[in-house]
Amino acid sequence: MLKIIIPTIFLLPVILLSNPKSTWMNFFINNLLISATSLTILKPQINTEWKFSSPYTGLDHISSPLLVLTTWLLPLMTLASQNSLKKEPYERKQLFLITLTLLQTFLLGAFCATDLALFYIMFEATLIPTLIIITRWGNQPERLNAGMYFLFYTLTASLPLLIALLTLYNLNNTLLITILHFLPQNTNPPSTSFFLWGACMMAFLVKMPLYGLHLWLPKAHVEAPIAGSMVLAAILLKLGGYGIIRTITMLTPMTKTMSIPFITLSLWGVVMTSLICLRQTDLKSLIAYSSVSHMGLVTAASLIHTEWSLTGAIILMVAHGLVSSALFCLSNFNYERINNRTLLLVRSMQLIMPLLSTWWLLFNLLNMALPPTINLMGELLIITAMFNWSPPTILITGAGVVLTACYSLHMFLTTQHSKFSNHLASMQMTNTREHLLMSLHMIPMVLLMFKPELVWSGTY
Amino acid sequence: MNKNFEKFYKKLKEALPSSDWSHIPLTKGLPPERADVVIVGGGVIGWSIAYWLKMKEPRKETLRVLVVERDLTYSRASTTLSVGGIRQQFSMPENIQMTQFSAKFLRNINVHLGVLNEPPIDIQFNPSGYLFLASEDGAAVLEDNVRIQRTEGANTYLLSPTELKKKYSWLNTDGVALASYGPENEGWFDPWSLLNGFRRKAISMGVYHCCGEVVVQMPHSAEIQPVECAIVVNAAGPWSGKVAEMAGIGTGPPDTIQGIKLPVEPKKRYVYVWHCPDGPGLECPMLIDTTGAYFRREGCGGNYLGGISPTEEEEPDISDLEVDHNFFKESVWPKLAHRVPTFECLKEKSSWAGYYDYNTFDQNAVLGIHPLVTNMYFATGFSGHGLQQSSSGPAIAELIVKGKYDAIDLQKFSFDRIVRGEPILERNII
């Protein structure tokens, strides 16, 4: 693990000591090197194997795909932010990159922590750099409100998690995931189990987000700058899913009853947020709600905790991370040119930037889980597992799939094929940097399509 | 005790998510930092476009529209200083269609611009019609114009001098070969109520507005607030030329598209109000003389207002809005007295001056996009008939929202004709 964490920490001197002309380049190249190094983690592996173990860190089949996603996304974030930060003074650009690096370090710490306490600390620590990115480099005055929502929703829900972890430590004398998984279940009085379950799960459910607690997500995603949106959509949401998957094994007897309202809520959220997507007028808001929709499926899958559903959850998390981040990048390309995100004013892009239209088409198709992509693999596994758990869920998940296709097509058709507006006539062409960004999102999707065993955890 | 409770309650309400409270003290009256469409100019054209944009957007809250007006007292605005006439007697079909739409809109104004719980608008529309008089030289043109107007569905008809004398006994038909009269959809109304109607309705539909100059600068402070926007609509009236220059239109080498300025300049026009005890009665239309002088009845107490467009040499100085009373005595009175003999004895009661947003190229509106600065839409250059063509508001709104003109095709009025150097001339100009 050190071969990834230490270079990430040492990105800080890279930023501070680089020649101003080549800071972005240095940062980007070093990041790509770290990503390349982290690719060695991806190996098809057996269920219970922990790799790269150390007293504090370790990777297993759930955390390794997410870790690789995290390291892959940082260079993409730098590539995407380069244009929006062009006009800032150099010190502020450095500060931005330092914040990104800190966030990356904490995320890496969270995903490779074997001790739940370390995981909790890193989980909370990621909030601060994200808040700084949203409130400082966001574009609208609403970003302050959005930052507050983001911070306080997560904090309020995760303080009980701290208490729950301390209780678990008291009961089991350890918080290592590797051990907790195998310890016999504690016979607690039902009230304790009830609160323990609630306290453990709420933090992650808010982060996922669960449908009723999702209010912070559209605000935070829309107001954040592009790098903030990418990291929020791609990785921070997955922290919630990862947390659920880790902690739910210790709470088994209560899970059967306690998880049912949350599974219901999340499935209902899939359908509801898809419907909301069809009504959105702001492009980024549309993509944010589609994130809630996909994550609803992941939440439901992690809560029923069968082998297939866990596999599906992890694959969908990886796939959604890449696709969502790519869609945010695409909407940012529009925003940089027109300074506006309203769907009404950003139409008929195909006439002006046809190459970008290809990327729009591809990522919208991926968003609606087109076979044979890994989005489909994830969704199929989840839907099948849910059907096995309870047959009527097929109605909701089926409706969700259809509606996802509806709004993805709506997004594509409105931005690419609608009536042409005259004021878009003289927009800049897409540059190589933007195409590179898009292809770097696409290449992992295509490669994973051919060898999904790399992220296919558990049941392989 | 009660007061404390009220304070606490107020604080509690501010803490809820839906309130406007922010922990940074914001200056009141600042525009939002980001808007989708910024309309420069808060006259009747600007507010009309704001209203129509909100009417034409496919769903509520799609577009954030901001109207920027530099002088909220409207002391120098062309809208409020206008005579308020509306006529269909133009020679271009598009002009006729625009004013027909305006007239229909004005007739049903409370249906369109009525706001819940607010008093209805009284536009004081006097449909008394316009009467154009033509001498021998202009008779053929007048006949042709009437033919075009009748094709468009306007109800104008021609009158010979004898018919004129029978209809209007106070008129001296000396030198008049032909006249044309429009009995419906023509007359005058109160521009201030129209402006307020549009403004009130647009604000109730969620249009933002602020007082300031472009680049938005608050009037009594040195604060400059940049507003990030996608589209700018230039509805600044006589000062559109300057606003366009701020966007770089007109700054450039003389032979390039960039070097072509927006040919809209302010030109001062005087309006005089007088009292004549024996003047024309209630049937008095807005009369336009063969010489170009015009007058109309104002109210029912024997007051009339009128004026004339000065010739090139007599163009008044635009730096202020002072009225030249000599101009009345020398240029307006003799002509009107010749036409209406009872105007020999009249008493000038008051006068004012206002600016035309005069299009020096061809005195017709400039509507549409600039070829280079593709997010500036023009809605200016109406040269004295802006108020009646405030229905170009929906045209511009359609252009922004749908990308093309829907109801009336105003492609003729685009900036391209200035680039190509092809003026479209209107044949009756006041």
Side-chain angles (χ1 to χ4, degrees):
Chain A
M1 274 326 298
L2 276 184
K3 68 174 182 267
I4 302 177
I5 297 184
I6 299 267
T8 312
I9 297 178
F10 272 80
L11 282 173
L12 291 171
V14 166
I15 304 166
L16 292 168
L17 299 175
S18 278
N19 190 358
K21 272 203 228 164
S22 49
T23 314
W24 286 96
M25 176 69 97
N26 281 338
F27 191 73
F28 179 62
I29 300 281
N30 280 306
N31 263 321
L32 274 182
L33 286 175
I34 299 176
S35 308
T37 322
S38 73
L39 286 177
T40 57
I41 296 170
L42 277 183
K43 267 199 294 227
Q45 48 184 323
I46 328 171
N47 215 340
T48 52
E49 184 188 356
W50 281 83
K51 302 189 300 186
F52 300 104
S53 289
S54 79
Y56 308 105
T57 65
L59 290 173
D60 79 335
H61 62 103
I62 306 177
S63 37
S64 30
L66 294 172
L67 191 88
V68 177
L69 183 65
T70 314
T71 48
W72 187 256
L73 229 78
L74 186 62
L76 300 180
M77 292 197 290
T78 33
L79 211 49
S81 331
Q82 214 172 340
N83 197 16
S84 1
L85 291 180
K86 231 180 0 190
K87 298 214 172 71
E88 308 240 347
Y90 180 61
E91 284 76 24
R92 217 178 283 174
K93 286 189 214 174
Q94 277 182 317
L95 210 55
F96 182 76
L97 294 174
I98 291 174
T99 321
L100 280 183
T101 315
L102 274 179
L103 180 61
Q104 180 77 344
T105 321
F106 294 141
L107 281 170
L108 291 174
F111 282 122
C112 57
T114 42
D115 198 329
L116 272 182
L118 181 63
F119 171 71
Y120 177 75
I121 296 173
M122 292 297 164
F123 178 77
E124 297 295 307
T126 57
L127 290 179
I128 310 275
T130 320
L131 182 69
I132 297 178
I133 294 177
I134 296 178
T135 48
R136 190 165 191 195
W137 282 283
N139 285 314
Q140 274 82 248
E142 287 87 4
R143 68 184 187 272
L144 302 170
N145 212 7
M148 290 297 119
Y149 262 70
F150 166 69
L151 185 70
F152 284 108
Y153 260 76
T154 318
L155 269 183
T156 319
S158 62
L159 276 179
L161 177 61
L162 180 61
I163 314 269
L165 288 180
L166 293 175
T167 317
L168 271 179
Y169 184 76
N170 253 336
L171 292 171
N172 299 320
N173 259 335
T174 176
L175 274 182
L176 286 178
I177 305 174
T178 39
I179 304 181
L180 277 179
H181 192 76
F182 296 108
L183 280 181
Q185 296 307 322
N186 297 300
T187 50
N188 292 319
S191 53
T192 320
S193 304
F194 174 77
F195 282 113
L196 198 66
W197 200 96
C200 274
M201 287 290 119
M202 279 325 277
F204 304 123
L205 288 173
V206 165
K207 200 84 175 161
M208 276 306 292
L210 184 67
Y211 176 57
L213 304 160
H214 69 291
L215 219 49
W216 63 270
L217 187 133
K219 285 196 207 289
H221 275 87
V222 167
E223 306 300 334
I226 179 61
S229 285
M230 285 167 80
V231 77
L232 265 173
I235 309 173
L236 288 174
L237 298 186
K238 286 43 177 189
L239 267 181
Y242 178 70
I244 296 184
I245 299 176
R246 284 296 189 214
T247 49
I248 205 166
T249 50
M250 310 152 205
L251 306 165
T252 330
M254 280 309 286
T255 312
K256 290 195 193 57
T257 45
M258 290 250 8
S259 62
I260 294 182
F262 297 108
I263 299 177
T264 322
L265 255 184
S266 55
L267 283 178
W268 185 238
V270 169
V271 172
M272 277 291 112
T273 44
S274 309
L275 288 173
I276 294 177
C277 274
L278 286 172
R279 267 194 59 93
Q280 283 301 320
T281 52
D282 181 342
L283 190 55
K284 257 181 136 175
S285 192
L286 208 160
I287 306 173
Y289 275 106
S290 97
S291 277
V292 179
S293 176
H294 289 285
M295 286 295 113
L297 271 179
V298 175
T299 318
S302 350
L303 284 172
I304 62 176
H305 205 78
T306 64
E307 287 181 344
W308 268 28
S309 75
L310 280 184
T311 316
I314 294 170
I315 298 187
L316 191 55
M317 281 202 270
V318 170
H320 171 261
L322 286 169
V323 169
S324 214
S325 151
L327 284 174
F328 274 118
C329 287
L330 284 170
S331 79
N332 191 48
F333 296 156
N334 282 336
Y335 183 75
E336 280 172 2
R337 286 168 171 78
I338 311 179
N339 274 345
N340 196 295
R341 293 189 304 257
T342 320
L343 267 178
L344 189 60
L345 296 174
V346 179
R347 289 186 304 194
S348 186
M349 290 285 120
Q350 191 163 24
L351 290 177
I352 313 165
M353 298 191 284
L355 286 180
L356 203 62
S357 176
T358 319
W359 293 121
W360 268 106
L361 179 66
L362 282 175
F363 284 111
N364 274 315
L365 291 178
L366 287 174
N367 197 19
M368 62 173 165
L370 193 74
T373 61
I374 52 177
N375 300 64
L376 178 76
M377 293 179 208
E379 284 194 13
L380 264 186
L381 284 168
I382 294 177
I383 295 176
T384 323
M386 300 256 19
F387 181 68
N388 192 20
W389 179 77
S390 159
T393 53
I394 194 88
L395 295 168
I396 306 183
T397 44
V401 167
V402 169
L403 288 169
T404 309
C406 281
Y407 70 69
S408 298
L409 279 180
H410 165 66
M411 190 174 12
F412 176 66
L413 290 175
T414 319
T415 51
Q416 306 301 116
H417 282 170
S418 243
K419 280 214 175 39
F420 182 61
S421 300
N422 299 322
H423 57 266
L424 301 169
S426 66
M427 288 216 282
Q428 296 168 332
M429 285 293 117
T430 40
N431 16 8
T432 317
R433 175 186 64 88
E434 294 169 349
H435 283 296
L436 177 64
L437 187 57
M438 288 293 105
S439 29
L440 283 180
H441 276 108
M442 197 55 171
I443 292 174
M445 301 292 296
V446 171
L447 292 176
L448 280 174
M449 208 156 53
F450 291 120
K451 197 170 171 63
E453 298 92 68
L454 297 177
V455 295
W456 197 286
S457 69
T459 56
Y460 170 66
Chain B
M1 158 73 184
N2 218 5
K3 241 177 149 204
N4 274 333
F5 180 71
E6 271 184 32
K7 274 204 306 196
F8 171 71
Y9 184 66
K10 208 158 137 275
K11 249 202 168 160
L12 191 67
K13 271 181 95 173
E14 277 174 359
L16 284 177
S18 59
S19 72
D20 273 339
W21 183 82
S22 82
H23 43 277
I24 301 175
L26 298 169
T27 325
K28 265 197 146 85
L30 273 184
E33 269 180 29
R34 189 191 65 80
D36 296 321
V37 183
V38 171
I39 299 178
V40 177
V44 72
I45 302 282
W47 279 107
S48 163
I49 295 179
Y51 164 73
W52 282 106
L53 272 174
K54 278 293 174 183
M55 284 291 288
K56 293 210 177 260
E57 62 182 7
R59 239 172 258 145
K60 275 170 98 168
E61 309 273 333
T62 322
L63 286 179
R64 188 185 277 208
V65 184
L66 170 70
V67 176
V68 180
E69 165 60 41
R70 128 176 111 168
D71 173 18
L72 284 178
T73 62
Y74 291 98
S75 55
R76 299 170 57 175
S78 309
T79 304
T80 48
L81 297 169
S82 136
V83 169
I86 177 169
R87 60 176 161 113
Q88 295 168 108
Q89 300 190 42
F90 290 94
S91 64
M92 291 183 57
E94 287 84 5
N95 276 334
I96 303 172
Q97 286 162 6
M98 278 205 274
T99 45
Q100 272 180 328
F101 183 87
S102 281
K104 238 190 316 186
F105 185 83
L106 288 178
R107 268 208 289 272
N108 294 324
I109 194 164
N110 274 308
V111 170
H112 295 289
L113 297 184
V115 176
L116 204 58
N117 288 336
E118 297 249 2
I121 306 172
D122 180 17
I123 200 93
Q124 293 161 30
F125 185 28
N126 279 308
S128 296
Y130 267 62
L131 182 69
F132 274 85
L133 302 177
S135 59
E136 285 289 335
D137 324 323
V141 175
L142 194 70
E143 207 174 325
D144 209 27
N145 287 347
V146 170
R147 191 184 43 80
I148 298 177
Q149 289 148 25
R150 290 190 77 87
T151 329
E152 289 296 325
N155 235 343
T156 45
Y157 56 86
L158 291 167
L159 295 151
S160 67
T162 35
E163 286 168 337
L164 259 186
K165 195 72 195 176
K166 223 175 7 168
K167 199 169 158 99
Y168 304 112
S169 52
W170 39 263
L171 197 57
N172 171 16
T173 52
D174 198 19
V176 174
L178 201 56
S180 76
Y181 180 61
E184 65 173 9
N185 286 347
E186 301 194 0
W188 56 88
F189 60 95
D190 180 17
W192 177 241
S193 359
L194 182 65
L195 175 66
N196 264 331
F198 272 128
R199 202 183 132 104
R200 191 180 71 173
K201 182 72 177 172
I203 292 180
S204 82
M205 289 168 108
V207 172
Y208 294 82
H209 61 291
C210 79
C211 172
E213 289 203 35
V214 172
V215 166
V216 188
Q217 183 161 359
M218 306 304 291
H220 298 295
S221 73
E223 230 176 309
I224 296 191
Q225 160 89 311
V227 179
E228 189 186 342
C229 66
I231 294 176
V232 174
V233 177
N234 188 348
W239 297 277
S240 320
K242 277 203 257 163
V243 172
E245 259 187 57
M246 276 193 230
I249 299 171
T251 60
D255 262 337
T256 57
I257 295 185
Q258 202 175 0
I260 300 179
K261 284 192 207 291
L262 177 67
V264 174
E265 281 172 17
K267 289 233 193 272
K268 189 156 85 167
R269 296 287 177 266
Y270 303 112
V271 178
Y272 304 95
V273 184
W274 62 89
H275 174 76
C276 175
D278 294 320
L282 282 178
E283 82 281 4
C284 174
M286 170 89 92
L287 191 134
I288 293 130
D289 189 29
T290 50
T291 52
Y294 65 91
F295 77 94
R296 70 163 169 88
R297 171 179 59 83
E298 167 72 18
C300 308
N303 294 317
Y304 303 89
L305 62 80
I308 186 174
S309 285
T311 56
E312 287 291 324
E313 306 85 47
E314 298 174 323
E315 275 295 343
D317 180 28
I318 53 168
S319 53
D320 57 19
L321 283 177
E322 289 297 316
V323 180
D324 182 6
H325 297 278
N326 270 333
F327 186 71
F328 180 66
K329 286 207 200 64
E330 287 164 21
S331 309
V332 185
W333 195 354
K335 302 195 171 94
L336 287 179
H338 172 79
R339 191 51 62 203
V340 183
T342 48
F343 277 168
E344 290 281 339
C345 48
L346 58 78
K347 182 167 170 10
E348 183 188 342
K349 288 185 79 178
S350 81
S351 55
W352 69 80
Y355 293 115
Y356 270 16
D357 47 344
Y358 196 78
N359 181 348
T360 50
F361 187 64
D362 58 10
Q363 292 90 50
N364 261 318
V366 181
L367 299 171
I369 256 192
H370 187 267
L372 286 182
V373 181
T374 49
N375 57 1
M376 174 168 274
Y377 283 79
F378 294 114
T380 174
F382 294 96
S383 316
H385 36 267
L387 189 62
Q388 34 191 304
Q389 289 180 339
S390 53
S391 73
S392 57
I396 298 279
E398 276 166 7
L399 203 54
I400 293 180
V401 170
K402 294 194 200 156
K404 62 177 176 63
Y405 292 111
D406 234 356
I408 311 176
D409 183 18
L410 298 174
Q411 196 53 38
K412 258 203 209 174
F413 292 111
S414 70
F415 192 81
D416 300 340
R417 74 182 194 274
I418 303 179
V419 172
R420 285 190 302 245
E422 298 167 0
I424 41 171
L425 290 167
E426 173 65 42
R427 287 185 300 187
N428 350 345
I429 306 171
I430 302 180

